[in-house]
Amino acid sequence: MKRTTCLLLGCGLLAAGALFTAPASAAGAPAQIRFLDADSASFGSYVGIYGQGFGTTQGSVSIGSTAVTDFTLWSDNLIIVRIPAGASSGALQVKPQGSSSSLQTSTPLNIHVGTLYYVSANTGNDSNSGDEQNPFQSIRKALSVVVPGDTILLGEGVYDEKDPAEIPSPALFLKASFSGSASKPLTIRGLGAEIPTIRGSTDPSRDNPVAYLGSDYLRLARVKIDGTGNSSSGVSVQGSDIWLTAVEVTAFTAQGILGGESTGLVLRGSHVHDGGTTVGESHAVVLTGTTGTIRDNHIENIANGFGLLLRYQTQGSTLVAGNRIHDIAGPAIALHRVKGGNRIFNNAVWNAGTSLGCLCSVEVGYGSQSG
C-alpha cells in the first residue's frame, strides 16, 4: 500500500543525507541561507553554511565586519569556512560570485574563546598534546580535558572505543559533567569537511546507545552514528539545549534518535535511515521532552516503526518543518498524548503507513490527550 502526502506548501527545500542538499529548484528560485550547523563557534573552528544558490565558484563570506579567508568547501548548497582570528559575533553574510547583493543570516553567530582539540583515529596518540599537529587518538581522551567553550575536531575514520576500565558504557558518553554553558557550548564536530564515524560495537558498549548525550549546551555536527554491531539506539538525548546538525544515524537496533524529557533539542539537516528491528517499536526519531526544532531532515527506510513520534504530556511546542520522510512502515509523523502547541508544516511525506499504526501518513492519537 503506497500513501503519498505533501503537507501544506513549500515541499522543495529539504535535507538529503548527512549533508543538506536542496532538490533542483525552479527557474528563478531565490538563493538563500537555510541554516548554519552551529550557533556558536570559537576562533579557528569551522561552521557549515547550508542553503542554495551559492554558485560553484567561490564568492565571499564575512562574519560581522570580518572577512573569512579560509574556505574548506564551496558548493552551490554548502559552504564550510574556518572562523578567522579577531572575528566578533554578528550576522554571517554570503556574497555569491558575480552577485551584487549578499545573503545574510537572521540571527547572529556567537563567537567565543575556547581551545580546539584535534582527534585522529588513524594517526593520533593519546599521549600527544591534542593540537593540530599532534592529535589525540580517542574521543575519551579529548573529553577528559575539555571545559565549556572548547571544541573537539574529529578527523575521518572510525571511532569504536571502549571504556579502558571495561565498564559498560556508550561509545560516545557525555555525562552531565561535560556540559557547556549558554554562551560557551561544548562542540564536537567533524574536522573541516570530514565526516567521522562513531560506532559502539565493542563488548562494553554494544548494549548501550552508540551515543549518550547527557550534558547540556552541546553541539554535535557532521558525524555519522553507525549502530552496526550494537543492540540499542543510535543516539539517546537526555541533556538540554543540544544541537544535532548534519548528523547521519543508521543501522540502529532500537530507536534512531531517542529524546528524553529535555528542552531545546535541535535536529537539523540530518539523515536517519535504515534501522530498527522490533516491529512497532523501532522508530527513527522519538521526542518526549518539552520544546524542540526538527527541520530539514531526511528520514527514510524504517521497516518496523514510525518516522517521527512526538509522545507523552511533557512533549509540546515543537516545530516540525521542511522534513522529507518516506518509506516508513508506520505513520511518517505521529502525535501520541502530547501536551500541545506543536507546529507541523511544509513537510514532504510519501509511501508511509505501509504496515503499522493507522496505515496513514500522519497520526494524531488518543483523543483529547493528543494536543
Side-chain angles (χ1 to χ4, degrees), residues 69-330:
T69 58
D70 192 342
F71 292 85
T72 302
L73 175 68
W74 187 294
S75 69
D76 191 60
N77 51 38
L78 172 60
I79 303 168
I80 299 177
V81 300
R82 201 163 194 177
I83 306 300
S88 56
S89 301
L92 188 147
Q93 301 173 58
V94 173
K95 189 173 184 180
Q97 181 69 31
S99 175
S100 59
S101 60
S102 297
L103 309 170
Q104 182 170 301
T105 56
S106 58
T107 56
L109 177 67
N110 176 45
I111 306 298
H112 64 266
V113 175
T115 301
L116 304 181
Y117 292 101
Y118 294 80
V119 183
S120 172
N122 299 327
T123 63
N125 190 307
D126 282 349
S127 64
N128 286 343
S129 59
D131 59 26
E132 191 167 6
Q133 288 73 40
N134 303 281
F136 297 136
Q137 185 177 42
S138 71
I139 302 172
R140 289 180 186 276
K141 174 61 178 180
L143 286 173
S144 71
V145 296
V146 294
V147 298
D150 288 350
T151 298
I152 298 173
L153 297 171
L154 303 178
E156 65 181 349
V158 177
Y159 297 82
D160 197 349
E161 304 178 6
K162 65 179 182 179
D163 194 310
E166 295 291 321
I167 299 171
S169 62
L172 178 60
F173 188 21
L174 279 88
K175 298 172 285 187
S177 58
F178 295 130
S179 294
S181 67
S183 60
K184 290 187 173 183
L186 176 65
T187 299
I188 302 175
R189 63 177 300 131
L191 172 61
E194 297 173 9
I195 300 181
T197 297
I198 299 173
R199 186 180 296 161
S201 66
T202 62
D203 285 344
S205 298
R206 66 185 181 186
D207 295 329
N208 292 278
V210 178
Y212 179 91
L213 311 181
S215 56
D216 299 329
Y217 300 106
L218 171 70
R219 306 295 181 257
L220 183 65
R222 296 187 63 79
V223 300
K224 179 180 180 179
I225 306 295
D226 184 351
T228 300
N230 179 272
S231 62
S232 186
S233 297
V235 182
S236 178
V237 180
Q238 303 300 325
S240 295
D241 205 306
I242 291 177
W243 282 41
L244 304 176
T245 50
V247 171
E248 180 182 3
V249 182
T250 189
F252 48 90
T253 297
Q255 320 289 350
I257 299 174
L258 175 62
E261 295 182 10
S262 56
T263 60
L265 170 65
V266 174
L267 177 64
R268 196 151 195 187
S270 293
H271 189 192
V272 184
H273 64 101
D274 296 283
T277 59
T278 304
V279 175
E281 294 293 332
S282 294
H283 313 304
V285 180
V286 179
L287 268 67
T288 63
T290 59
T291 70
T293 300
I294 313 298
R295 299 192 69 167
D296 303 309
N297 302 289
H298 186 189
I299 299 172
E300 62 172 333
N301 298 334
I302 305 301
N304 292 297
F306 299 0
L308 170 62
L309 175 59
L310 308 183
R311 185 164 62 183
Y312 301 150
Q313 282 286 306
T314 50
Q315 205 293 311
S317 302
T318 288
L319 170 65
V320 179
N323 301 288
R324 180 170 60 180
I325 309 175
H326 62 95
D327 295 295
I328 310 293

